[in-house]
Each structure stands twice: as structure tokens, then as C-alpha cells.
Amino acid sequence: MKSPFDAVVSRHGPTILAVCRAVVGPSDAEDVWSETFLAALRAYPALPEDANVEAWLVTIAKRKGIDALRAGARRADPVAEVPERPDHAVVDPVRNDDLVAALAALTPRQREVIAYHVLVGLPYAQVAEIVGGTAVAARRAAADGLARLRRTYPLEARHG
């Protein structure tokens, strides 16, 4: 029999992974996803019955994503020569380099707002609570980010 938390992971796991990919990029998304659910598992027993679980998880994912971005900024991995990619490397079937580049061109706030509103479906008022600011500012950041994505992300890549 599944525990209540297993049901939370099953229900919200894919959405939170999409948020993590949008916020920190595909290379660190799975680590941030794991950290998110480890933290959530510890805090879950104290979560009020009427809590919006999805918004709660998005908030945790945001904080874990910020931690990962800060840690990455502090970490330097200098190498004399870039190594060849091994033949046995696993290719992420959902990775789209054009989309990754287009998302990277957005401001961090635009990426977050788009991830929370478009991918998760949170209303702008809740997005504003998570990222700070007002619902109007969150809506503006989403509109600006989506407009920029439409300009920079090739149309054929979106439909191909």
C-alpha cells in the first residue's frame, strides 16, 4: 500500500521536475528534484491538511534551485582540455538545446514565473507569493518572458 507521501510524489513529481528544469536547467534538475522531495518528506508530517501541496512543493523547489545555482556559481572546474564525450553517454530524450538556450536568455524571474504559472498552473497571486512582488508584476514578467521566447525560440523547433 502506498503511503500518503508516495501519492504526493506520484501526483506532483513530473510537474516539479519540469519546474526544476526550467529554473536550474536540465543538467541539475534531477538533483534539485531529489533535494526538493527529501526536504518535503521531512516537513510533510507538519503540513496543514488544507495546504496547497503543489504550491508548497514549488516553493521548496524554488529554494533548492536557488541553492543549486549559488553552489554552482561558487564551484570552479578548470580543465586544460575539454574531454571527449563518451560513446555510452545517455541522451536526455526531452532535452531540446534550442529550448534550453531560449530559456537561458530569459531573466531568472521570467523563467520562474513562466515555470510556476505555465508549467504548474499556479495563479499569478500564488506565483507572486513564491517569487515576491505583486500578481500584476508576475503577470508582466510572464508576458515579457513569453514574448521573448516567441522571438528567440524557432517556430519549427516548437512544432517539430
Side-chain angles (χ1 to χ4, degrees), residues 28 71-83:
D28 293 326
R74 289 188 302 264
R75 187 177 339 129
D77 296 322
V79 293
E81 196 173 309
V82 177

Side-chain angles (χ1 to χ4, degrees), residues 5 8 11-12 15-16 19 36-37 40 43-44 46-61 63 116-117 119-130:
F5 191 76
V8 167
R11 179 160 188 227
H12 300 289
T15 302
I16 298 303
V19 167
T36 297
F37 280 101
Y44 187 72
L47 188 67
E49 293 267 334
D50 63 342
N52 181 333
V53 175
E54 192 168 59
W56 175 68
L57 289 169
V58 167
T59 301
I60 295 170
R63 291 180 182 145
Y116 304 151
H117 180 72
L119 294 177
V120 179
L122 295 177
Y124 285 115
Q126 280 187 308
V127 172
E129 287 176 25
I130 294 168

Side-chain angles (χ1 to χ4, degrees), residues 106-107 109-115 117-118 124 127 135-150:
L106 300 178
T107 67
R109 184 178 217 54
Q110 289 170 340
R111 272 195 308 274
E112 286 183 47
V113 171
I114 289 170
H117 180 72
V118 175
Y124 285 115
V127 172
V136 171
R139 186 183 314 269
R140 178 81 260 158
D144 292 346
L146 289 171
R148 188 170 191 176
L149 277 176
R150 286 185 190 102

Side-chain angles (χ1 to χ4, degrees), residues 43-103:
Y44 187 72
L47 188 67
E49 293 267 334
D50 63 342
N52 181 333
V53 175
E54 192 168 59
W56 175 68
L57 289 169
V58 167
T59 301
I60 295 170
K62 176 194 179 194
R63 291 180 182 145
K64 293 299 179 182
I66 289 169
D67 291 347
L69 291 171
R70 287 179 180 156
R74 289 188 302 264
R75 187 177 339 129
D77 296 322
V79 293
E81 196 173 309
V82 177
E84 293 281 330
R85 186 175 188 153
D87 292 337
H88 63 278
V90 177
V91 176
D92 183 354
V94 293
R95 182 169 176 160
N96 177 324
D97 291 331
D98 291 334
L99 179 57
V100 170
L103 286 169

